[in-house]
Amino acid sequence: MLKSKKKALFVDYSEFSILAARTSSSTVPMQIEAIMEIPLDTAQSGQDLFESFYDFGGTRFAQAVCGVYPNSRFVHVHEFDSVGKARDPKNLETTLQEKFKVDTAKMNVEVLSGKDGESFDFKSGNEKSVLFCGAAIDEFQDWQDRLLKLGVYPLRLEMGSIATIGAVADFALFEEVKGPVLFFEMKASGALISVINKGGIDDARVISSGLDSIFPLLQAELGLKDESSARRIFFSNTFDFAEMGPKLLRNVIRELQASIGSYEVKTGQMIEHIFVSLLPKNLSWISRTLSSTLGVQTLRVDYARWLNDLGVEVGDAVDLSNLGSRWLGLFSLLGEYQQRTFKQSEQDEVKSDTAPVAN
């Protein structure tokens, strides 16, 4: 049994949902004691909201590790000509501004290793490939304010997309998944894609087609009077979009096919798996449509086995068996990833699933 330590709170807050986990401690080994989903339109906050879930201990705020998703968030991979150029902060800033059109004065930017996602070593690193990630400074402040209104004080505020990419990379190594995995995360104005391969990030970029690109197509398909009506129907639980999915996602699919084709030609490696993060249960048809249209399998995470390997025990009252991919953002905040190495499995089959996955 785990030793008794101070309980901890983890919160994953996106435009779709607020997910929370209470654990027996803030560091591994820990046990997940409870999980819950908080309605986005809740009028409650603080102790009223977390009553019976987390003990505030008489304080106004509950301290938590938090993942958030600013709409301006971005991920880019760039390989420099030399290690020296990669280590030069001025050269990094110029690349961000000129190649990726990132306003570094307004953005909170992190530079990570393209090899393993660790913090980039400017002094002694010997890598030419870097991962740029970040979002607008004022958006991070906005998300922090939202958390404070809920009664949550962020001990650590992470960009949930990067935490989730790291979790997919670690799980793929844990399961010895063969070949690269396409990570896909939609936002309002576009989508983040990343190609994860053997624990590293081979490619990462932002594509222009996101959720906003769907609404005019849905308006035309249903003969609605405006895009706002299409938006309301899209996010409702009253309409099944599976049949018209390829039409609604045609802009997204076109950009993904171009990115996949470019990667496969460049590397000679075939992408056979996709992981679609963040989307709520009523939008699970998007994952199924992309899987079938692109001809790739959906990577399904066995949360209990993977978390146990990271030193996170699952309490008897917690059932993770039917949770879909959107929960990985929350669980990615819990563990401490090991320095795994890729081992080629003797079996040809990998842990994947082409059937619908519960969200």
Side-chain angles (χ1 to χ4, degrees):
M1 189 66 186
L2 296 171
K3 293 182 180 180
S4 177
K5 299 180 182 180
K6 182 177 175 61
K7 299 185 187 301
L9 180 66
F10 296 83
V11 177
D12 186 71
Y13 193 174
S14 74
E15 62 185 293
F16 303 112
S17 62
I18 307 171
L19 307 177
R22 186 186 75 231
T23 63
S24 60
S25 71
S26 58
T27 58
V28 294
M30 67 170 68
Q31 182 185 76
I32 300 176
E33 298 179 343
I35 60 174
M36 74 170 178
E37 180 172 4
I38 302 167
L40 284 176
D41 58 354
T42 180
Q44 294 178 301
S45 63
Q47 296 186 31
D48 291 336
L49 180 64
F50 288 95
E51 185 179 7
S52 78
F53 184 78
Y54 187 79
D55 182 8
F56 277 53
T59 62
R60 180 182 175 188
F61 295 100
Q63 296 181 337
V65 174
C66 304
V68 296
Y69 300 83
N71 188 55
S72 62
R73 65 192 184 275
F74 63 86
V75 288
H76 297 293
V77 163
H78 181 74
E79 184 166 344
F80 290 94
D81 296 333
S82 66
V83 173
K85 287 184 177 180
R87 289 187 192 174
D88 185 352
K90 291 183 178 179
N91 195 41
L92 293 171
E93 184 173 12
T94 299
T95 301
L96 274 168
Q97 293 174 341
E98 295 183 357
K99 180 175 180 179
F100 300 117
K101 310 304 178 185
V102 173
D103 186 346
T104 54
K106 297 180 179 180
M107 295 288 181
N108 188 334
V109 179
E110 290 290 332
V111 183
L112 306 176
S113 163
K115 180 181 179 181
D116 54 19
E118 297 289 335
S119 295
F120 187 76
D121 189 343
F122 287 92
K123 294 183 178 180
S124 58
N126 59 358
E127 300 172 41
K128 296 187 291 183
S129 177
V130 301
L131 176 71
F132 295 115
C133 59
I137 296 171
D138 59 354
E139 281 197 66
F140 274 117
Q141 182 61 55
D142 177 63
W143 281 98
Q144 179 169 292
D145 292 343
R146 295 188 201 186
L147 286 162
L148 292 173
K149 288 181 180 179
L150 288 176
V152 174
Y153 181 87
L155 284 172
R156 191 173 81 233
L157 190 65
E158 296 192 15
M159 196 168 89
S161 307
I162 296 302
T164 310
I165 288 173
V168 173
D170 188 77
F171 177 75
L173 283 177
F174 170 66
E175 288 287 11
E176 299 179 15
V177 173
K178 296 178 180 178
V181 176
L182 178 67
F183 172 90
F184 178 75
E185 181 180 279
M186 295 189 82
K187 55 180 186 170
S189 59
L192 305 185
I193 63 172
S194 179
V195 180
I196 300 165
N197 190 18
K198 299 178 182 178
I201 299 93
D202 283 354
D203 190 20
R205 65 182 69 184
V206 179
I207 62 175
S208 60
S209 296
L211 290 170
D212 289 346
S213 71
I214 295 176
F215 304 134
L217 299 176
L218 180 58
Q219 178 189 354
E221 284 291 321
L222 298 182
L224 302 173
K225 62 179 181 178
D226 53 39
E227 289 186 21
S228 61
S229 299
R231 182 187 294 269
R232 284 194 298 272
I233 293 176
F234 181 81
F235 286 111
S236 71
N237 293 312
T238 59
F239 201 95
D240 184 3
F241 297 102
E243 186 174 344
M244 66 176 70
K247 293 182 179 179
L248 299 180
L249 294 173
R250 63 173 179 258
N251 295 326
V252 174
I253 291 169
R254 184 172 60 248
E255 290 202 65
L256 283 178
Q257 287 173 330
S259 296
I260 291 172
S262 175
Y263 174 82
E264 291 180 346
V265 168
K266 180 180 177 181
T267 65
Q269 299 185 77
M270 299 291 291
I271 294 177
E272 297 181 355
H273 300 88
I274 187 172
F275 182 87
V276 180
S277 74
L278 207 59
L279 295 177
K281 185 177 182 178
N282 64 317
L283 298 183
S284 59
W285 60 269
I286 290 179
S287 178
R288 298 195 298 270
T289 299
L290 293 178
S291 174
S292 61
T293 305
L294 297 174
V296 293
Q297 294 179 307
T298 299
L299 185 71
R300 183 172 184 173
V301 178
D302 185 331
Y303 290 119
R305 288 182 60 251
W306 173 64
L307 286 169
N308 183 69
D309 188 69
L310 294 177
V312 180
E313 179 184 317
V314 181
D316 294 338
V318 180
D319 182 11
L320 307 184
S321 60
N322 293 316
L323 298 183
S325 59
R326 70 191 178 110
W327 287 84
L328 186 60
L330 174 66
F331 298 137
S332 69
L333 302 172
L334 274 62
E336 297 177 4
Y337 301 141
Q338 307 167 14
Q339 290 295 323
R340 304 184 193 270
T341 56
F342 180 77
K343 296 179 181 179
Q344 190 71 39
S345 174
E346 294 180 358
Q347 298 180 348
D348 292 329
E349 298 294 325
V350 295
K351 302 277 184 183
S352 59
D353 191 351
T354 56
V357 178
N359 280 267

